[in-house]
Amino acid sequence: MLSELGPFFRRFAEVEAPHSPLYQSICRAVADAPDVASMLNVAPAMERRPNLLLAAVHSILLQRNAPQSTEEHALRCFYPTVVHAPSLDSDPAGQAFVAFCRSATKELAPLLATRSTQTNEVGRSSILWPVLSTLGSEVGPLHLVEVGASAGLNLVLDRWAYCDSNGELLSGGDPASAVRLRATHHGVRPGNEVLAITSRVGLDRNPIDVTNPDAARWLLACMWPDELDRFRRTEQAIAVAALAPPLIRQGDAVDDLLPLTNTVGTGHLTIVTTWVLTYLLPQARTAFVTKLDQLGATRDLTWVFAESSMYSPELPWPTDSSAIAQNGETLVVEVQYRSGTRTTTTRAMAHPHGRHIRWQTT
Protein backbone atom coordinates (compact mmCIF):
# COMPACT_ATOMS: atom_id res chain seq x y z
CA MET A 1 0.00 0.00 0.00
CA LEU A 2 2.95 2.32 0.56
CA SER A 3 3.64 2.62 -3.15
CA GLU A 4 0.02 3.41 -4.02
CA LEU A 5 -0.11 6.84 -2.39
CA GLY A 6 3.05 8.44 -3.77
CA PRO A 7 1.63 8.92 -7.29
CA PHE A 8 -1.36 10.79 -5.83
CA PHE A 9 1.02 13.39 -4.40
CA ARG A 10 2.98 13.61 -7.64
CA ARG A 11 -0.20 14.08 -9.66
CA PHE A 12 -1.43 16.71 -7.19
CA ALA A 13 1.82 18.63 -7.63
CA GLU A 14 1.68 18.58 -11.41
CA VAL A 15 -2.05 18.82 -12.13
CA GLU A 16 -3.91 20.32 -9.18
CA ALA A 17 -1.34 22.73 -7.72
CA PRO A 18 0.37 24.33 -10.73
CA HIS A 19 -0.08 27.80 -9.21
CA SER A 20 1.06 26.86 -5.69
CA PRO A 21 4.85 26.62 -5.55
CA LEU A 22 4.64 25.71 -1.86
CA TYR A 23 2.32 22.74 -2.30
CA GLN A 24 4.12 21.68 -5.46
CA SER A 25 7.40 21.45 -3.55
CA ILE A 26 5.75 19.66 -0.64
CA CYS A 27 3.86 17.10 -2.71
CA ARG A 28 6.88 16.26 -4.82
CA ALA A 29 8.85 15.59 -1.66
CA VAL A 30 6.10 13.46 -0.13
CA ALA A 31 5.81 11.47 -3.36
CA ASP A 32 9.45 10.43 -2.77
CA ALA A 33 8.86 9.67 0.92
CA PRO A 34 6.56 6.63 1.03
CA ASP A 35 6.59 6.49 4.83
CA VAL A 36 5.07 9.98 4.95
CA ALA A 37 2.60 9.36 2.13
CA SER A 38 1.47 6.18 3.89
CA MET A 39 0.38 8.19 6.94
CA LEU A 40 -2.86 8.69 5.00
CA ASN A 41 -3.65 4.99 5.42
CA VAL A 42 -5.32 5.75 8.76
CA ALA A 43 -7.90 7.91 6.96
CA PRO A 44 -11.13 6.55 5.45
CA ALA A 45 -10.61 5.31 1.89
CA MET A 46 -12.24 8.28 0.18
CA GLU A 47 -10.21 10.74 2.27
CA ARG A 48 -6.79 9.36 1.34
CA ARG A 49 -5.90 12.40 -0.71
CA PRO A 50 -2.98 14.82 -0.47
CA ASN A 51 -5.38 17.59 0.62
CA LEU A 52 -5.99 15.87 3.96
CA LEU A 53 -2.33 15.59 4.97
CA LEU A 54 -1.69 19.14 3.80
CA ALA A 55 -4.62 20.42 5.87
CA ALA A 56 -3.63 18.43 8.97
CA VAL A 57 -0.14 19.94 9.00
CA HIS A 58 -1.52 23.42 8.28
CA SER A 59 -3.97 23.06 11.18
CA ILE A 60 -1.18 22.26 13.63
CA LEU A 61 0.83 25.27 12.46
CA LEU A 62 -2.19 27.58 12.76
CA GLN A 63 -2.99 26.36 16.23
CA ARG A 64 0.31 27.40 17.81
CA ASN A 65 1.85 30.81 18.32
CA ALA A 66 5.36 29.40 18.35
CA PRO A 67 7.07 26.24 17.09
CA GLN A 68 7.56 23.33 19.48
CA SER A 69 10.40 21.61 17.64
CA THR A 70 13.25 22.40 15.29
CA GLU A 71 11.36 20.60 12.49
CA GLU A 72 8.31 22.78 13.04
CA HIS A 73 10.44 25.93 13.16
CA ALA A 74 12.01 25.00 9.83
CA LEU A 75 8.60 24.46 8.21
CA ARG A 76 6.68 27.47 9.54
CA CYS A 77 8.81 29.98 7.65
CA PHE A 78 7.27 28.84 4.34
CA TYR A 79 3.63 29.49 5.38
CA PRO A 80 2.35 33.05 4.75
CA THR A 81 -0.68 32.26 6.92
CA VAL A 82 1.57 31.54 9.90
CA VAL A 83 4.46 34.03 9.70
CA HIS A 84 4.48 37.67 8.60
CA ALA A 85 7.57 37.42 6.41
CA PRO A 86 7.58 33.98 4.79
CA SER A 87 10.47 32.64 2.77
CA LEU A 88 10.09 33.41 -0.91
CA ASP A 89 12.05 30.30 -1.88
CA SER A 90 9.64 27.36 -1.63
CA ASP A 91 12.05 24.74 -2.96
CA PRO A 92 13.30 23.64 0.49
CA ALA A 93 9.74 23.48 1.85
CA GLY A 94 9.21 19.90 0.70
CA GLN A 95 12.00 18.42 2.77
CA ALA A 96 11.01 20.56 5.76
CA PHE A 97 7.45 19.23 5.45
CA VAL A 98 8.64 15.62 5.31
CA ALA A 99 10.87 16.12 8.35
CA PHE A 100 8.04 17.70 10.32
CA CYS A 101 5.62 14.87 9.49
CA ARG A 102 8.14 12.30 10.68
CA SER A 103 8.57 14.20 13.94
CA ALA A 104 4.83 14.70 14.52
CA THR A 105 3.31 11.33 13.61
CA LYS A 106 1.46 11.00 16.93
CA GLU A 107 -0.07 14.48 16.55
CA LEU A 108 -1.03 14.00 12.93
CA ALA A 109 -2.54 10.50 13.20
CA PRO A 110 -5.78 11.48 15.01
CA LEU A 111 -6.38 14.37 12.61
CA LEU A 112 -5.94 12.12 9.59
CA ALA A 113 -8.17 9.44 11.08
CA THR A 114 -11.08 11.69 12.07
CA ARG A 115 -11.09 14.77 9.85
CA SER A 116 -12.29 15.20 6.29
CA THR A 117 -11.27 17.71 3.65
CA GLN A 118 -13.73 20.61 3.81
CA THR A 119 -12.81 23.44 1.50
CA ASN A 120 -15.96 25.48 1.93
CA GLU A 121 -14.84 27.84 -0.83
CA VAL A 122 -16.99 30.97 -0.57
CA GLY A 123 -15.82 32.03 -4.04
CA ARG A 124 -18.22 29.46 -5.48
CA SER A 125 -21.05 31.81 -4.57
CA SER A 126 -19.94 33.84 -7.61
CA ILE A 127 -21.03 30.84 -9.66
CA LEU A 128 -24.21 30.12 -7.75
CA TRP A 129 -25.74 33.59 -7.49
CA PRO A 130 -26.30 34.14 -11.24
CA VAL A 131 -27.73 30.64 -11.71
CA LEU A 132 -29.98 30.69 -8.65
CA SER A 133 -31.24 34.24 -9.16
CA THR A 134 -32.13 33.39 -12.76
CA LEU A 135 -33.95 30.32 -11.51
CA GLY A 136 -35.76 32.39 -8.89
CA SER A 137 -37.09 34.77 -11.52
CA GLU A 138 -38.65 31.75 -13.26
CA VAL A 139 -40.07 29.78 -10.32
CA GLY A 140 -40.36 32.25 -7.46
CA PRO A 141 -38.81 32.01 -3.98
CA LEU A 142 -36.44 29.13 -3.36
CA HIS A 143 -36.14 26.60 -0.57
CA LEU A 144 -32.40 26.03 -0.67
CA VAL A 145 -30.78 22.76 0.36
CA GLU A 146 -27.01 22.42 0.07
CA VAL A 147 -25.59 18.91 0.27
CA GLY A 148 -22.03 18.88 1.55
CA ALA A 149 -22.55 22.32 3.06
CA SER A 150 -19.53 22.20 5.41
CA ALA A 151 -19.84 25.54 7.25
CA GLY A 152 -22.67 26.76 5.01
CA LEU A 153 -20.80 29.74 3.57
CA ASN A 154 -22.47 29.23 0.20
CA LEU A 155 -25.87 28.81 1.83
CA VAL A 156 -25.74 32.47 2.82
CA LEU A 157 -24.71 33.72 -0.61
CA ASP A 158 -26.90 36.81 -0.20
CA ARG A 159 -24.47 38.11 2.47
CA TRP A 160 -21.57 38.63 0.06
CA ALA A 161 -20.76 41.41 -2.41
CA TYR A 162 -20.05 40.36 -6.00
CA CYS A 163 -17.38 42.07 -8.07
CA ASP A 164 -15.60 41.74 -11.37
CA SER A 165 -11.87 41.13 -11.58
CA ASN A 166 -11.21 44.84 -11.06
CA GLY A 167 -13.26 45.02 -7.89
CA GLU A 168 -16.21 46.83 -9.47
CA LEU A 169 -19.53 45.83 -7.94
CA LEU A 170 -21.87 43.58 -9.91
CA SER A 171 -25.55 42.95 -9.30
CA GLY A 172 -26.71 40.76 -6.46
CA GLY A 173 -25.88 40.01 -2.88
CA ASP A 174 -25.10 42.67 -0.30
CA PRO A 175 -23.05 45.49 -1.82
CA ALA A 176 -22.11 46.69 1.69
CA SER A 177 -20.64 43.32 2.70
CA ALA A 178 -17.08 43.16 4.00
CA VAL A 179 -16.69 39.98 1.94
CA ARG A 180 -16.16 40.96 -1.69
CA LEU A 181 -15.96 38.09 -4.14
CA ARG A 182 -14.00 38.82 -7.30
CA ALA A 183 -14.39 36.78 -10.45
CA THR A 184 -13.55 37.19 -14.12
CA HIS A 185 -16.69 36.65 -16.18
CA HIS A 186 -16.51 35.60 -19.82
CA GLY A 187 -19.70 35.93 -21.81
CA VAL A 188 -22.90 37.44 -20.48
CA ARG A 189 -23.28 37.01 -16.73
CA PRO A 190 -26.91 36.05 -16.10
CA GLY A 191 -28.93 36.67 -12.99
CA ASN A 192 -30.86 39.32 -11.15
CA GLU A 193 -30.35 41.82 -8.37
CA VAL A 194 -32.68 40.00 -6.00
CA LEU A 195 -32.78 36.37 -4.92
CA ALA A 196 -35.64 35.35 -2.63
CA ILE A 197 -34.75 32.43 -0.37
CA THR A 198 -37.58 31.56 1.98
CA SER A 199 -35.68 28.85 3.85
CA ARG A 200 -32.30 27.22 3.70
CA VAL A 201 -30.65 24.20 5.26
CA GLY A 202 -27.41 22.34 4.75
CA LEU A 203 -26.54 18.65 5.00
CA ASP A 204 -23.06 17.43 5.86
CA ARG A 205 -21.60 14.36 7.51
CA ASN A 206 -19.27 16.61 9.53
CA PRO A 207 -20.82 20.09 9.76
CA ILE A 208 -18.52 22.96 10.61
CA ASP A 209 -19.77 25.22 13.41
CA VAL A 210 -18.50 28.66 12.47
CA THR A 211 -18.85 29.78 16.09
CA ASN A 212 -16.42 27.05 17.25
CA PRO A 213 -12.77 28.23 17.02
CA ASP A 214 -11.37 24.72 16.56
CA ALA A 215 -13.84 23.91 13.79
CA ALA A 216 -13.24 27.26 12.09
CA ARG A 217 -9.48 26.69 12.25
CA TRP A 218 -9.86 23.35 10.47
CA LEU A 219 -11.82 25.05 7.71
CA LEU A 220 -9.02 27.59 7.33
CA ALA A 221 -6.42 24.82 7.41
CA CYS A 222 -7.99 23.39 4.27
CA MET A 223 -7.11 26.63 2.48
CA TRP A 224 -3.83 26.78 0.57
CA PRO A 225 -1.39 28.84 2.63
CA ASP A 226 0.24 30.63 -0.29
CA GLU A 227 -3.19 31.89 -1.41
CA LEU A 228 -3.28 34.48 1.33
CA ASP A 229 -6.09 36.59 -0.16
CA ARG A 230 -8.32 33.54 -0.31
CA PHE A 231 -7.40 32.64 3.27
CA ARG A 232 -8.21 36.13 4.58
CA ARG A 233 -11.47 36.22 2.63
CA THR A 234 -12.53 32.95 4.22
CA GLU A 235 -11.66 34.34 7.65
CA GLN A 236 -13.95 37.30 6.92
CA ALA A 237 -16.73 35.04 5.64
CA ILE A 238 -16.56 32.88 8.77
CA ALA A 239 -16.86 36.01 10.94
CA VAL A 240 -19.91 37.23 8.99
CA ALA A 241 -21.57 33.80 8.98
CA ALA A 242 -21.00 33.45 12.73
CA LEU A 243 -23.27 36.44 13.38
CA ALA A 244 -26.25 34.34 12.23
CA PRO A 245 -25.04 30.77 11.60
CA PRO A 246 -26.86 28.84 8.86
CA LEU A 247 -28.74 25.69 9.83
CA ILE A 248 -26.78 22.58 8.90
CA ARG A 249 -27.96 19.06 9.68
CA GLN A 250 -25.53 16.21 10.22
CA GLY A 251 -26.22 13.31 7.90
CA ASP A 252 -25.35 11.26 4.86
CA ALA A 253 -25.70 12.71 1.37
CA VAL A 254 -27.62 9.65 0.16
CA ASP A 255 -29.43 8.21 3.17
CA ASP A 256 -30.57 11.50 4.67
CA LEU A 257 -31.33 13.51 1.55
CA LEU A 258 -35.02 12.67 1.13
CA PRO A 259 -35.91 13.02 4.84
CA LEU A 260 -34.28 16.44 4.84
CA THR A 261 -36.15 17.66 1.76
CA ASN A 262 -39.42 16.62 3.36
CA THR A 263 -38.85 19.19 6.11
CA VAL A 264 -38.49 22.29 3.97
CA GLY A 265 -42.21 22.89 3.38
CA THR A 266 -43.86 24.21 0.24
CA GLY A 267 -42.23 26.11 -2.58
CA HIS A 268 -39.59 25.34 -5.15
CA LEU A 269 -37.04 22.92 -3.80
CA THR A 270 -33.52 23.76 -5.00
CA ILE A 271 -30.65 21.41 -4.22
CA VAL A 272 -27.04 22.53 -4.61
CA THR A 273 -23.81 20.52 -4.65
CA THR A 274 -20.38 22.02 -5.32
CA TRP A 275 -17.35 19.74 -5.48
CA VAL A 276 -18.75 17.32 -2.91
CA LEU A 277 -19.89 14.33 -4.96
CA THR A 278 -16.32 13.56 -5.99
CA TYR A 279 -15.75 12.52 -2.37
CA LEU A 280 -18.43 9.82 -2.62
CA LEU A 281 -17.81 6.32 -3.87
CA PRO A 282 -19.12 5.69 -7.42
CA GLN A 283 -22.05 3.62 -6.17
CA ALA A 284 -23.00 6.40 -3.75
CA ARG A 285 -23.00 8.96 -6.58
CA THR A 286 -25.29 6.70 -8.58
CA ALA A 287 -27.54 6.29 -5.55
CA PHE A 288 -27.62 10.07 -5.04
CA VAL A 289 -28.85 10.62 -8.60
CA THR A 290 -31.42 7.85 -8.16
CA LYS A 291 -32.75 9.54 -5.01
CA LEU A 292 -33.21 12.81 -6.87
CA ASP A 293 -34.88 11.04 -9.77
CA GLN A 294 -37.29 9.46 -7.31
CA LEU A 295 -38.01 12.82 -5.71
CA GLY A 296 -38.32 14.54 -9.07
CA ALA A 297 -40.96 12.04 -10.12
CA THR A 298 -43.24 13.34 -7.35
CA ARG A 299 -42.56 17.08 -7.24
CA ASP A 300 -40.91 19.83 -9.25
CA LEU A 301 -37.40 20.69 -8.15
CA THR A 302 -34.07 21.93 -9.46
CA TRP A 303 -30.61 20.57 -8.78
CA VAL A 304 -27.66 22.87 -9.49
CA PHE A 305 -24.27 21.23 -9.34
CA ALA A 306 -20.71 22.40 -9.93
CA GLU A 307 -18.68 19.24 -10.23
CA SER A 308 -16.05 17.51 -12.36
CA SER A 309 -17.08 15.10 -15.10
CA MET A 310 -13.66 13.47 -14.71
CA TYR A 311 -14.17 12.59 -11.05
CA SER A 312 -17.95 12.15 -11.03
CA PRO A 313 -18.92 10.47 -14.32
CA GLU A 314 -22.11 9.04 -12.80
CA LEU A 315 -23.87 12.42 -12.77
CA PRO A 316 -26.41 13.37 -15.46
CA TRP A 317 -24.04 15.34 -17.64
CA PRO A 318 -25.50 17.12 -20.67
CA THR A 319 -24.50 15.53 -23.96
CA ASP A 320 -22.36 18.57 -24.85
CA SER A 321 -20.45 18.65 -21.55
CA SER A 322 -17.35 16.82 -22.73
CA ALA A 323 -17.00 19.12 -25.72
CA ILE A 324 -17.17 22.40 -23.81
CA ALA A 325 -15.10 21.57 -20.73
CA GLN A 326 -11.52 22.79 -20.98
CA ASN A 327 -8.44 22.19 -18.85
CA GLY A 328 -10.25 20.36 -16.09
CA GLU A 329 -12.73 23.15 -15.45
CA THR A 330 -15.70 22.67 -13.19
CA LEU A 331 -18.94 22.31 -15.10
CA VAL A 332 -21.98 24.10 -13.73
CA VAL A 333 -25.10 22.16 -14.62
CA GLU A 334 -28.77 22.83 -13.91
CA VAL A 335 -30.97 19.77 -13.68
CA GLN A 336 -34.68 20.53 -13.80
CA TYR A 337 -37.42 18.12 -12.80
CA ARG A 338 -40.72 19.36 -14.15
CA SER A 339 -43.86 17.23 -14.14
CA GLY A 340 -41.73 14.12 -13.72
CA THR A 341 -39.40 14.91 -16.63
CA ARG A 342 -35.68 15.53 -16.15
CA THR A 343 -33.72 17.95 -18.35
CA THR A 344 -30.08 18.99 -17.96
CA THR A 345 -28.41 22.18 -19.17
CA THR A 346 -24.83 23.36 -18.90
CA ARG A 347 -24.84 26.88 -17.46
CA ALA A 348 -21.13 27.61 -17.22
CA MET A 349 -17.57 26.34 -17.00
CA ALA A 350 -15.62 27.69 -14.09
CA HIS A 351 -12.50 27.56 -12.00
CA PRO A 352 -13.19 25.27 -9.02
CA HIS A 353 -12.91 28.25 -6.65
CA GLY A 354 -14.93 30.63 -8.83
CA ARG A 355 -11.99 32.75 -9.96
CA HIS A 356 -13.15 32.77 -13.56
CA ILE A 357 -16.44 31.74 -15.12
CA ARG A 358 -17.31 31.16 -18.77
CA TRP A 359 -21.05 31.56 -19.12
CA GLN A 360 -22.84 29.39 -21.62
CA THR A 361 -25.40 31.09 -23.81
CA THR A 362 -28.73 29.27 -24.15
Side-chain angles (χ1 to χ4, degrees), residues 113-302:
T114 60
R115 298 283 192 169
S116 59
T117 305
Q118 292 182 294
T119 49
N120 193 187
E121 176 50 60
V122 67
R124 292 171 184 154
S125 286
S126 291
I127 302 170
L128 294 175
W129 179 277
V131 178
L132 294 181
S133 62
T134 300
L135 174 66
S137 67
E138 299 168 357
V139 300
L142 307 182
H143 295 269
L144 192 59
V145 175
E146 184 181 12
V147 178
S150 189
L153 300 184
N154 290 309
L155 265 177
V156 292
L157 71 168
D158 43 357
R159 298 188 196 177
W160 321 132
Y162 296 94
C163 306
D164 63 17
S165 58
N166 296 317
E168 295 295 324
L169 282 171
L170 301 172
S171 62
D174 177 7
S177 176
V179 180
R180 303 172 73 85
L181 305 182
R182 292 192 180 197
T184 300
H185 297 269
H186 303 280
V188 179
R189 176 180 181 262
N192 299 283
E193 186 76 30
V194 177
L195 171 60
I197 303 174
T198 56
S199 64
R200 64 191 95 196
V201 62
L203 178 67
D204 199 281
R205 63 179 179 178
N206 294 303
I208 293 288
D209 179 359
V210 288
T211 66
N212 181 305
D214 180 66
R217 182 174 58 250
W218 176 254
L219 190 62
L220 290 170
C222 291
M223 301 286 108
W224 295 16
D226 50 1
E227 294 182 347
L228 193 57
D229 289 345
R230 181 187 173 210
F231 183 90
R232 299 301 181 208
R233 185 181 65 187
T234 304
E235 278 188 314
Q236 288 182 316
I238 290 172
V240 171
L243 298 176
L247 175 63
I248 307 173
R249 303 291 190 190
Q250 184 172 20
D252 181 79
V254 177
D255 295 339
D256 298 305
L257 175 61
L258 296 189
L260 183 69
T261 59
N262 289 334
T263 68
V264 298
T266 59
H268 189 79
L269 175 61
T270 305
I271 297 171
V272 170
T273 64
T274 61
W275 268 96
V276 64
L277 300 180
T278 183
Y279 289 96
L280 301 183
L281 292 170
Q283 57 267 33
R285 287 193 288 267
T286 298
F288 183 84
V289 176
T290 299
K291 292 279 187 181
L292 285 181
D293 285 345
Q294 292 171 349
L295 188 60
T298 63
R299 64 178 296 180
D300 286 359
L301 67 99
T302 301

Side-chain angles (χ1 to χ4, degrees), residues 9-89:
F9 283 90
R10 198 172 306 281
R11 183 186 185 283
F12 189 92
E14 303 304 329
V15 177
E16 299 187 46
H19 304 297
S20 174
L22 175 61
Y23 274 180
Q24 274 200 330
S25 174
I26 286 172
C27 288
R28 285 170 179 158
V30 174
D32 294 328
D35 60 317
V36 175
S38 69
M39 293 175 69
L40 282 174
N41 286 333
V42 301
M46 289 302 294
E47 291 293 340
R48 292 174 192 164
R49 301 175 182 225
N51 312 63
L52 185 61
L53 180 60
L54 296 169
V57 170
H58 195 193
S59 178
I60 292 173
L61 299 182
L62 289 171
Q63 186 176 4
R64 298 203 274 255
N65 294 324
Q68 296 187 4
S69 67
T70 56
E71 291 86 359
E72 183 177 347
H73 176 78
L75 180 61
R76 288 170 66 91
C77 69
F78 298 103
Y79 281 69
T81 53
V82 176
V83 296
H84 293 298
S87 171
L88 299 179
D89 180 10

